[in-house]
Structure formats: C-alpha cells, structure tokens
Amino acid sequence: MNQEDKPQPGVSLIADFDGDIAELLSTEIPQSLPLLPVRNMMLFPGVLSSVMVSRESSLAVVKRAAKDNSLLAVATQKDASVEQPSEGDLYPIAVAARVMRVLELPGGITSVILQSFGRCKVGKITRRNPVARISVSSLPDVLPPTDSKEYSALVDECRDAAIRFLKLGETQHEEAVFAIRNIKHDVFTINFLCTNLPFTLEEKANLLAIDDNVERAYALLTLLNRACQFATLKRDIQNQTREELDQQQKEYFLQQQIKSIQNELGENQNKDAQELREKLAKKNLSEKMRALLDKEIDKLNRISPQNPDYNVQLNYLETIATLPWGELTKDKLNIKTARRVLDQNHFGMERVKERILEYLASLLYRNDRRAPILCLYGPPGVGKTSLGRSIAEAIGRKYVRMSLGGIHDEAEIRGHRRTYIGAMPGRIVKSLIKAGTDNPVFVLDEIDKVTDSNINGDPQSALLEVLDPEQNSAFHDNFLDLDYNLSNVFFIATANSLQSIPAPLLDRMEVIEVEGYLTEEKKEIARRHLIPREAGNYSEEFGRSLKFSPESIELIIEKYTRESGVRQLEKQIGKMFRKIALERSTQSEEEAAQGVQKLKPADIGRLLGKPIYCRDKYQGNDYAGVVTGLAWTAVGGEILFIETSVSRSKAAKLTLTGNLGDVMKESAVLALEYIRAHAAGLGIDYRVFDHWGLHVHVPEGATPKDGPSAGITIATSIASALTQRKVKAGIAMTGEITLRGRVLPVGGIKEKILAAKRAGITEIIISEDNRKDIDDIAEQYLKGLTFHFVKDVDEVLGIALLDEQPANAIELTIEDNEAPAAGNAQDNHSGKAVAARLLKP
C-alpha cells in the first residue's frame, strides 16, 4: 500500500531557528493551498520533518510546490487505508509547510523534507486536478511571554519526562535524547516532542488543536507522565517474569534432589518407562535386544521430564516399541482363491499373475519363506500400482505403498540420526509401523524417479540395502541405530522405464515387464471394471440405465484415446456419464425416465465430439511399390505403409524420407543392396540402378520411426517399384533382414497381429523364428488370419509379388547413349533404344 507515514528515521528532526519565533509561526497563509494528505503522522508548527511520499497525486503536489516554492497544507488522514481522502477523512487542523528538499530513495520511494509554519483549519477541497487544492483559514498560536519562568520550568519538565520515557524503552535512543537536550527554543521543544513521540493520532490531533502553547505543554506533560507509568509497569512485569524463571530453575534442582532420594529409597515410579516396559515385553525380541533396550529405558529414568532430552529419548523408545518385531500375518495358500482374486481385479497380466502363484505354491513346500523382490515396469496406466493391492488381497497380507518419485534425501530411506533436532525414522520403518506387521506387501512406487546422488546423499544407493535379499535381514535405520529384519517383506517396485535405474539396483530385483493393453483387452477392462466403477459413482437407477455396446467401447478406445493403459479411457467413460447426466437434467421427467439407454457408436460422436485419433486402414494394391508393414508402439500395434517411387537420374541415388531413425535407414540400404545383388532373378536390368533413382518414404513424417522390423517390407517395396509388379492384396509383413537375405525374428508380434486384424489384413508374413510367438496368442485373436512363415527374402517376394502390373505402371527405359561400353559382356545395341521391361514375360 502506498503510504506517507512517520518521519524517516535518523533524518529529520527540527530546524534550530535563530530568528524571531513569532515571525516563523505567523507566516501569512493563503486561503487556498495545495493539499498533501499524510498517514500515520502529524506535523506541528516549526518542526522540520522528512516524509516518505508514494502516491502519484501526492508526488504531483510536492513537485508543484517545490517548483513554485509555495506553501502547501499538510493534513493527516483519519483512516490510513483511504487512497483519495475527502474533507471528512482529514483531521480538522492542518499545518502549512514548504518543501525544502526532495530526495529519491531506492525502491521508487521519494522522501520530502518539509519545514512547517503556522496552523490552519481545513475547509473544502476545491479541486482534484492537476493537483488537489483545499481552502484553509489561518489559526494563530498564542505564544508565552519570552521571560515566562513558568513556561521554561514546564518545558524542562516535559524534556526530562521525554528523556525518562525513552530510557525506559527496550531500545536505546541516544540520538533522540541528544536532540531533545540540545533544542534551544522552548516552543520548538514542545512541538518537536508532540511530533515525534509515539502518541496516537487522536492524542496528537488534540494537542495540535490547542491554541495556547502553555496549555499545549501541560497537555503534553500529562501524556508523557502516563507513558512513563506504562513503561515502568511493563518493565516491572518483565522483571517479575524473570524472577519466575529463576524460581523454575530452583524448582528443577529441588526435583532432582527429590528424584535422587526416591532412587535411594527404590520408589522411582516413572509411568512412561513402565508403559514402555509393558509394550516391549509383548514383542518378539532377542535377549541381546532386550538388554540393550532396558539400558535405554534406564537412561530415560535418569532424565528429568523437564529436560528437552527426555522427549527425544521417549520418542525414540516409543518408535521401537511400536515396530512389529516378528509379527507376521498368516498367508492364504489357496492357489485357486488367489488366482480368482487376481483375475477378478485385473484383466490380462498373465506373466505377473503366474509369478505370484509360483511364489504361493513354493511356500507349500519350502522351509525358507523369504519373499521375492519384484520390479514391474511398463507404460503408465497399465495397473502396476493397483496390482500390488490385489496381490496383498490374494495372499492375505497387509498393504503399504511408498512413493519414491522425487525423493532426493537419503534420510528419507534410512532416517535421521538422533543427534539432529526433529530426527525421525526413515519411511521404510514408518511404513512398517503403519502396516503393523513384518511381512506386508510393500509397493515402492516410481522407483525410476528417485533422484541421483546429491548433497543430501544417494537415495538410490540406500535402496540397495533394502532390496538386497542378502542384506535386508539386517537393515540399519539411522534413527533406530538397530538392525531390523526386512527379509519377510514382499517388495514390489514399479517403474515406467529401466533406463534411469542403476544396474546394481536393477540386478537385485526380478524384473517383469507389464505390457500395454491391446484393444480387445481394453474392451474387457472397460466392460468388467471401468464402466461399473463409474456407474457406482451415480445413483443406482442412473447407473443401471446406461449400457455401452461393444462397438461403442471400441470406438472410444480407437478414436478418443491413444495410450498403453486405460487412464484416458476411464476419463472418457466418465465424460460420457457426465454428458448424459447433463442431457437428462434438461429433459422432462417423462423423457428422463425412458428406461435403459444403450449407447451406440452414433451416440459417442454426439457426446464426445469429433474423434481425436484415427487408425490407418488397408489401402489396397493399386500402386506398385506400396507395401503394408506392421509396427509396434508404446500404445499398441500399428500398420504403416512403405512407399517407393522411381525417377530418372544421372547417377544411382537412394532417398529416404519420413523421419526415419538410423536403424531403419540401414534396413533400407540393406534391402536395396539385396535387390541389386539379385536383380537378374527378379528380371531387372542391372543398368537401371545407374540411371534411375529410388525414393523410399514412410508416411506421417512428424512421427519418428526406427527399428529393424521393416526390413522385409522395404525390400518388397523396392522390388515392387523396380519390377512394377503389384503386391498381393490384403497382405502385411514384419521382419528384419540381413545382407544375405535371411529374415530374422522381431518383437511385439501380438500387438502387430491385432493391428493388422483391425486394419482388414488377411495374410501376414513373419519370420519362421516367430512361430513360437504365434503359439502364445489366444485363438480368438488369430481367427481370420493366414500366416506365412519365411526364412529368406526370396520367399517373401515369391509370396508378396504378383505377376501383373498396376494400371499406372511405369516403363523404365535406357537410351542407347546410356548403354555401357563396347567391352561390356552385357547387351549393347548401338543407335537403338534398349527397353528394360521390369515385368517378367
């Protein structure tokens, strides 16, 4: 808030006027003056003060008055919060003053030194712009006779009272005391004290309203005596408080003596210690541990409850007493029940479920029940974290979760040493206290988001001890300063990527990949889990009245989400419910109560708007050089198109476009070299490579593409373009090639097959080594597809290329002047056009 308040410290204070005092106070005051409203201070006649000015209107008044060397009316506001005061917001008595100097201070604050003259009565504000002006009437001061002994004695008394008041304060005011003692004029002394002493504005206004300076001095003395009395009372209260503290120290020593006497008599009855002993007696502790804790409790008994160390020691022992030393929940070893719980809560994730069931089955026959340490990694939203809760439910254990994202302090894992103020155990120990058992399912969420080594230690290295089966049986927390057994804890770490997890930490965990869901799996998840869960948030009648058709669910998945998990799908389903609720709220009661509403694909577009994403569809085989490939992405499988065109060129040239990565570019070079080496077998004139250029393009150039799995697709595309042979309709392929033409296996087969099926593909070419991946896929996903398992590129081309040309086939020709030299063993027909027909006769 802009403000003009009390005089600037150490700047002001009074002019030592040597002339006639009456001349200064009786300066002629015009009937209209510029108005300078001030806050939290009040000027008195004859005083030289520094005022801080921030308001634009006040700065304009000051600058105009300084320029014209004119007087201005300094009036105090009643309410400091008013930015543009009217006459009613000002105290009735003001002071005429002249600007002596304007100082620009850091921070954009202007300090103005004002010399005040006589008093004036505030009238009406006559105008606001360009500067505010106010009508005033002069109020003369009644001065005492120059030889008045009464007034001199009264001023001396006021001066002594002011100095006494300043010395009673908590801070020293040597400069102010020096100034008060050295003011020569009695009238100035009174007005100086009225201006600078900490009275209220109401009290200062009453002093300023007194015409007679003698009466003003008496009123000032009354206020000073009262202030001195309050200051004295405050000092007495402080002294009394100090004496009470001394009394407390005395009582402390007496209590220590009483405690010593009680120890001698064997009458120590420390309630806290007794409760701790009772709690620890119920814990499954070793004899060595009990002896150590008994010493710590005896130490607690020797500390006075008034000593700050008492609470530190008590907190330490209570933490130890609340830990579940050896308390284990009994595992549910019914494999069928565990499988049913896992299947009920999560669709898919067969590898993870299988590993959990293996562990449960092994407990039936193993003596060592040490829990595994798993790391589930995969894209966001696939259910890694929630799977931990389902595992706990399936095996009948408690569940705790600790989020590691953003942890940068090693003490978060291992705790603080007790020497630090506010020390506490690490989050591992606190989570076990929360679980109340020594064998919970403990989810370490987002382990890949832990910060690397920094000034606060290395949290990732601290996790090595937690997750090492050979070390965590004696986990050392700095706060406990004891070894604690974590070997019974079922640790499950989750991560989105393994790249940021240090190799030593990764080596201590059993890594299981949680793959993204397929469209078919998402449909089942939506039907079984997401839609019923969202319906449960509404009334039973409303929830039952909505039914989603399988086609509508698939449309939401394909056109409105692009993810590996189901978080966005859940949000879109929630949006559907909200849109329908809005529609029904605006309908009549009869329309709203029309029974079950089955949502169809047409309703999805109406409620969710235009589709956000689109999937590629098979585009036919009308063009040579266009082949359908299969790709894996983080959000599932996709089809992609490899397009190759030929154009006349003076030299052999291969152009690659479509935002391709290095590996994919190398696949294109390998494919071209293979086709060049086997040109004769494909009916391609070898001279074509010297006079026709190739351009390979993969559409959607804004999307980065990489990987070797498009090798056979690129080779087929180049062969089709050079031979101008059509590609078999409804066929797609994926596989890596070598320079010799071998077809190597690739990953993501399940996702690629489902993408091909969605796009209308009926035949798929893959490597013979990928046959085992087909055997792992459910029969329902393979229905309607024919697979060709190949070992080399010749097989691929034999299956994919047809012996017919497209309607717009290009005839590649070589002119006679482009023919090779006479010594060449190949055909050389001088003066004639040599046509290289790329279609086999």
Side-chain angles (χ1 to χ4, degrees):
M1 181 180 71
N2 293 335
Q3 66 175 1
E4 295 79 29
D5 49 22
K6 58 188 177 182
Q8 225 178 321
V11 175
S12 49
L13 290 167
I14 189 166
D16 197 359
F17 188 76
D18 292 326
D20 187 359
I21 190 169
E23 181 182 348
L24 177 66
L25 300 182
S26 61
T27 301
E28 184 177 354
I29 300 175
Q31 293 183 352
S32 176
L33 291 176
L35 173 62
L36 176 63
V38 295
R39 293 180 273 204
N40 304 320
M41 68 173 296
M42 188 171 291
L43 292 183
F44 280 72
V47 177
L48 183 71
S49 292
S50 175
V51 178
M52 288 183 289
V53 179
S54 299
R55 285 184 287 199
E56 294 295 332
S57 58
S58 298
L59 287 171
V61 171
V62 168
K63 292 178 180 179
R64 174 65 65 86
K67 180 180 178 181
D68 299 339
N69 194 28
S70 62
L71 294 175
L72 49 80
V74 182
T76 303
Q77 292 182 205
K78 296 177 181 178
D79 185 358
S81 63
V82 177
E83 287 296 323
Q84 200 168 35
S86 62
E87 303 89 352
D89 297 320
L90 304 173
Y91 283 99
I93 307 299
V95 174
R98 177 172 282 116
V99 177
M100 305 302 293
R101 191 173 181 185
V102 178
L103 302 174
E104 297 294 337
L105 302 179
I109 298 175
T110 302
S111 178
V112 182
I113 299 177
L114 300 175
Q115 171 65 64
S116 58
F117 294 92
R119 299 177 305 136
C120 56
K121 187 173 183 179
V122 173
K124 298 284 186 180
I125 295 179
T126 57
R127 69 179 182 185
R128 291 281 184 185
N129 295 311
V131 295
R133 295 189 69 87
I134 191 169
S135 61
V136 298
S137 57
S138 178
L139 292 175
D141 278 14
V142 179
L143 300 177
T146 55
D147 57 349
S148 174
K149 294 182 179 179
E150 176 192 5
Y151 187 73
S152 296
L154 184 58
V155 171
D156 290 338
E157 187 64 29
C158 289
R159 184 183 288 111
D160 294 338
I163 293 173
R164 186 166 65 254
F165 169 74
L166 293 174
K167 290 184 176 180
L168 286 170
E170 296 179 356
T171 56
Q172 299 297 321
H173 299 277
E174 289 85 1
E175 293 181 1
V177 171
F178 178 82
I180 293 172
R181 284 176 173 165
N182 286 275
I183 299 175
K184 298 179 181 179
H185 293 283
D186 292 342
V187 173
F188 285 156
T189 300
I190 297 299
N191 289 344
F192 171 80
L193 296 177
C194 290
T195 300
N196 292 285
L197 288 177
F199 302 137
T200 65
L201 289 178
E202 290 290 339
E203 292 170 342
K204 290 187 177 183
N206 293 334
L207 291 174
L208 186 60
I210 299 174
D211 298 333
D212 192 332
N213 271 262
V214 177
E215 293 181 9
R216 187 182 299 165
Y218 274 112
L220 173 62
L221 184 58
T222 301
L223 293 176
L224 281 170
N225 288 331
R226 186 191 67 181
C228 289
Q229 291 175 1
F230 283 145
T232 303
L233 180 60
K234 182 178 179 181
R235 185 185 60 183
D236 292 340
I237 292 173
Q238 291 175 344
N239 292 336
Q240 184 179 355
T241 304
R242 192 176 296 113
E243 290 175 0
E244 289 176 358
L245 291 174
D246 294 338
Q247 180 66 23
Q248 289 178 0
Q249 292 178 350
K250 179 180 178 182
E251 291 175 357
Y252 169 75
F253 289 117
L254 290 174
Q255 287 174 353
Q256 289 296 101
Q257 292 177 354
I258 293 172
K259 188 174 180 180
S260 299
I261 295 172
Q262 288 178 340
N263 287 335
E264 290 292 330
L265 297 175
E267 295 177 356
N268 186 12
Q269 299 293 331
N270 191 315
K271 185 178 178 181
D272 291 332
Q274 193 173 6
E275 290 179 354
L276 286 170
R277 291 185 192 278
E278 292 174 358
K279 288 181 180 179
L280 292 172
K282 301 176 183 178
K283 301 293 181 181
N284 185 18
L285 300 172
S286 64
E287 292 300 323
K288 183 179 179 181
M289 185 69 69
R290 288 191 184 279
L292 180 63
L293 294 179
D294 284 339
K295 290 182 180 179
E296 293 293 335
I297 294 176
D298 293 338
K299 180 180 177 181
L300 179 70
N301 279 328
R302 294 191 296 270
I303 302 175
S304 170
Q306 282 73 33
N307 192 326
D309 291 338
Y310 181 86
N311 287 327
V312 174
Q313 183 71 2
L314 179 62
N315 179 46
Y316 168 68
L317 289 170
E318 285 181 341
T319 301
I320 293 177
T322 52
L323 274 168
W325 296 90
E327 297 179 20
L328 305 176
T329 55
K330 188 175 181 181
D331 292 333
K332 297 177 183 177
L333 300 181
N334 189 319
I335 306 301
K336 292 183 179 179
T337 302
R339 184 187 294 275
R340 187 179 69 253
V341 172
L342 292 173
D343 289 340
Q344 180 180 349
N345 294 339
H346 291 273
F347 186 84
M349 297 188 177
E350 299 303 328
R351 292 174 57 194
V352 185
K353 294 177 182 176
E354 193 70 22
R355 181 62 183 88
I356 302 305
L357 296 176
E358 288 174 4
Y359 167 67
L360 291 179
S362 67
L363 292 180
L364 295 171
Y365 307 101
R366 264 174 48 179
N367 294 325
D368 178 15
R369 296 203 167 193
R370 178 173 294 176
I373 299 174
L374 306 182
C375 177
L376 309 180
Y377 83 96
V382 295
K384 301 183 295 296
T385 304
S386 60
L387 184 62
R389 189 181 297 275
S390 298
I391 292 172
E393 181 183 351
I395 64 180
R397 292 192 181 187
K398 296 291 184 66
Y399 169 81
V400 289
R401 172 183 165 274
M402 174 180 168
S403 178
L404 297 175
I407 284 184
H408 62 278
D409 192 349
E410 179 187 345
E412 293 281 344
I413 308 296
R414 284 204 177 110
H416 305 81
R417 300 188 185 278
R418 279 188 291 155
T419 53
Y420 296 108
I421 297 174
M424 61 180 66
R427 294 176 64 183
I428 300 291
V429 170
K430 287 195 288 186
S431 296
L432 290 177
I433 293 174
K434 179 182 177 182
T437 176
D438 255 359
N439 64 337
V441 173
F442 200 130
V443 174
L444 298 171
D445 209 7
E446 309 290 356
I447 196 171
D448 56 327
K449 309 298 191 304
V450 180
T451 308
D452 295 337
S453 177
N454 56 68
I455 59 173
N456 296 317
D458 189 353
Q460 290 181 336
S461 298
L463 286 171
L464 293 176
E465 183 183 7
V466 176
L467 300 178
D468 191 337
E470 302 301 324
Q471 298 182 41
N472 64 8
S473 59
F475 171 69
H476 187 85
D477 185 274
N478 292 329
F479 180 80
L480 299 181
D481 202 20
L482 301 170
D483 291 338
Y484 195 85
N485 184 10
L486 298 179
S487 63
N488 295 312
V489 179
F490 193 158
F491 285 108
I492 301 176
T494 70
N496 296 127
S497 171
L498 302 180
Q499 302 300 321
S500 59
I501 303 177
L505 183 59
L506 199 61
D507 185 58
R508 285 162 168 77
M509 301 182 289
E510 182 179 342
V511 178
I512 300 177
E513 181 181 5
V514 182
E515 299 172 343
Y517 294 116
L518 307 172
T519 298
E520 287 72 13
E521 292 173 332
K522 290 181 181 179
K523 287 166 62 176
E524 287 299 315
I525 292 172
R527 184 180 64 83
R528 298 184 186 183
H529 302 286
L530 302 184
I531 295 176
R533 184 192 305 166
E534 187 65 27
N537 296 331
Y538 294 82
S539 65
E540 185 175 355
E541 179 182 358
F542 182 87
R544 289 182 177 179
S545 67
L546 293 181
K547 300 295 181 183
F548 287 75
S549 67
E551 296 79 10
S552 63
I553 297 175
E554 183 173 354
L555 180 62
I556 296 174
I557 295 170
E558 295 289 337
K559 301 295 185 180
Y560 295 89
T561 66
R562 183 63 59 91
E563 59 178 343
S564 300
V566 292
R567 285 196 181 126
Q568 294 301 322
L569 176 58
E570 184 175 16
K571 291 178 181 178
Q572 293 296 339
I573 291 173
K575 185 177 180 180
M576 290 284 295
F577 274 82
R578 294 194 301 272
K579 291 286 187 181
I580 294 171
L582 178 61
E583 281 188 351
R584 293 191 181 181
S585 65
T586 58
Q587 294 174 349
S588 63
E589 294 183 2
E590 295 180 358
E591 292 176 328
Q594 55 183 330
V596 177
Q597 180 180 356
K598 189 169 185 179
L599 298 174
K600 299 179 180 179
D603 299 317
I604 304 303
R606 176 175 57 85
L607 295 171
L608 296 183
K610 294 182 179 180
I612 303 174
Y613 307 102
C614 63
R615 297 272 188 182
D616 287 328
K617 291 293 183 181
Y618 178 66
Q619 298 178 358
N621 63 341
D622 296 333
Y623 298 91
V626 179
V627 185
T628 305
L630 301 176
W632 179 92
T633 70
V635 296
E638 295 282 352
I639 67 168
L640 55 81
F641 302 102
I642 306 294
E643 302 174 350
T644 301
S645 66
V646 291
S647 59
R648 185 174 291 278
S649 176
K650 293 183 180 180
K653 182 180 180 183
L654 174 63
T655 304
L656 302 173
T657 57
N659 201 351
L660 308 184
D662 292 338
V663 177
M664 200 167 182
K665 290 178 180 178
E666 291 174 358
S667 296
V669 173
L670 285 173
L672 177 59
E673 289 301 318
Y674 179 85
I675 301 300
R676 189 195 296 267
H678 297 78
L682 293 171
I684 302 173
D685 192 310
Y686 76 97
R687 294 170 295 180
V688 169
F689 296 102
D690 295 328
H691 304 291
W692 288 80
L694 290 171
H695 185 159
V696 178
H697 176 68
V698 184
E700 297 187 19
T703 305
K705 309 166 192 71
D706 204 1
S709 65
I712 63 173
T713 313
I714 297 173
T716 305
S717 176
I718 293 175
S720 173
L722 291 175
T723 61
Q724 290 295 291
R725 294 164 63 182
K726 293 178 68 173
V727 178
K728 190 175 184 180
I731 197 167
M733 60 193 72
T734 181
E736 180 181 356
I737 63 170
T738 67
L739 194 58
R740 294 177 296 161
R742 288 191 57 211
V743 179
L744 302 181
V746 293
I749 294 297
K750 183 178 180 181
E751 290 84 354
K752 292 177 179 179
I753 288 174
L754 290 172
K757 191 173 182 180
R758 286 194 301 268
I761 299 296
T762 57
E763 298 183 50
I764 297 177
I765 301 176
I766 57 175
S767 170
E768 175 67 35
D769 293 333
N770 280 124
R771 187 186 292 270
K772 63 182 185 302
D773 298 304
I774 302 297
D775 296 337
D776 294 335
I777 301 174
E779 184 65 30
Q780 58 181 341
Y781 299 145
L782 303 179
K783 188 176 181 181
L785 294 175
T786 301
F787 292 93
H788 301 280
F789 300 99
V790 298
K791 294 182 179 179
D792 55 50
V793 178
D794 283 343
E795 293 182 60
V796 176
L797 299 179
I799 296 170
L801 296 181
L802 302 176
D803 290 335
E804 60 178 290
Q805 287 183 309
N808 57 349
I810 300 173
E811 184 172 319
L812 278 69
T813 60
I814 303 174
E815 300 298 334
D816 56 352
N817 59 352
E818 298 173 341
N824 197 315
Q826 299 292 334
D827 294 338
N828 181 13
H829 303 284
S830 176
K832 298 181 180 179
V834 180
R837 298 184 179 275
L838 302 182
L839 176 65
K840 288 183 178 179

